[in-house]
Amino acid sequence: MNVGIIGSGTMGSGIAQVAATSGCSVKLYDTNIDALHKAENTLDKILSRLIEKGRIDSAEKSRIQSNIDYVNSLDELGNSNLTIEAIVEDLDIKKKVFEHLETYVSEDCILASNTSSLSIASIASALKKPERCIGIHFFNPAPLMKLVEVVPAIQTSEEVLSKSVDVITNWKKTVAVAKDTPGFIVNRVARPYYGEALRIYEEGIADFATIDWSLKTIGGFRMGPFELMDFIGNDVNYAVTESVFTAFYFDSRYKPSFTQKRLAEAGYLGRKSGKGYYDYSEGTAKPNPTEDKILGDKIFNRVLVMLINEATDALFLNIASAEDIDNAMTKGVNYPKGLLAWADEIGIDNCVTTLDRLYDEYHEDRYRCSPLLRKMLRDKKTFF
């Protein structure tokens, strides 16, 4: 299979590695020659490290490298069966690239976007054959993360959806098919992990270190929300939150935090700037959490129930199947358990009671209980 990748940054290069490893003939395109050289050198280092770890041998390294050509002309992608765009998250730029690309590729070439939140229907509208357009969203780093969200637009043909799922499955990835709505599955369902943690901090219930300790030690999450936001970058995480908030017509469940906004404005972006919620300067000790089990349980349960409510609403609104939602959260962002399975474990009644208690206390729409949770409690049903 011939695969074209547009954009040789971290994501585009990662997707190229995945496709090449699976035996596809890949052409990685970028307008910047230096960026292409950097991508080639980076891949060489990655594959050399895999040899050192005993994951591959030198013959496999050569095979993968020989499957990738680095090109700076779009017409080089003319024989592609599938092209995946992985460039800046700007709708107008993506539409122009797709409109231009369509003049080079064959009529049956699938045109896919790796966007994490933009409307696939909007991108497809730039094409003469919008039915060939689909979202294929990898997670970073693409070679390591198992999940890929496949997102058909309302224009996407069933054949293109079926072929796309087959290709990604053959690349040994776990596919979650999602409706073309803001944030798809992961970036939508994960919002409370950040938003509710920030709210708990802003209320003065606990500091950053204590909230992170609660979610890691009690909840089993690999990184606490503040560690994770510092790792992602406060500017990036805030921009996604603001985008989802706007896209959902300013639904209060996705309301951004002034705490994060101010940190981003101050240039406290996290690890990449040396300071965020934590100070990463050399010799600076990380603050100790308050290891109070009662407080930790309170924090963890509040965040978990908000995540479960969001996952339930995604199911209620047919964004994806229950299986795909749970797979998305465990394989896309490494949650310790699928949220819907977690709801079954702690009890639907516990989820509804906790949400109603929060709503009664705050009278804010962000704490409204999903109608599906109420119905399941009434009917004495579980997700699985």
Side-chain angles (χ1 to χ4, degrees), residues 359-372:
Y359 186 82
D360 288 344
E361 184 171 340
Y362 295 104
H363 282 265
E364 290 182 45
D365 220 25
R366 72 186 278 136
Y367 298 111
R368 68 184 186 270
C369 179
S370 171
L372 181 55

Side-chain angles (χ1 to χ4, degrees), residues 139 149 183-197 221 225 228-229 232 237 240-241 244 253-254 303 306-308 310-311 314 325 328-329 332-333 335 339:
F139 290 81
E149 293 177 322
F184 310 139
I185 303 171
V186 171
N187 279 325
R188 174 197 183 126
V189 174
R191 295 324 323 143
Y193 193 65
Y194 315 110
E196 203 57 28
F221 289 87
L228 187 51
M229 286 185 280
I232 294 167
N237 189 265
V240 172
T241 301
V244 171
R253 288 188 302 177
Y254 310 110
V303 173
M306 290 293 282
L307 286 166
I308 287 170
E310 195 61 46
I325 290 169
M329 304 316 291
V333 277
Y335 280 14
L339 293 169

Side-chain angles (χ1 to χ4, degrees), residues 3-16:
V3 177
I5 309 290
I6 299 176
S8 66
T10 302
M11 187 56 77
S13 299
I15 298 170

Side-chain angles (χ1 to χ4, degrees), residues 307-319:
L307 286 166
I308 287 170
N309 196 45
E310 195 61 46
T312 304
D313 235 29
L315 180 63
F316 175 62
L317 296 172
N318 295 301
I319 304 305

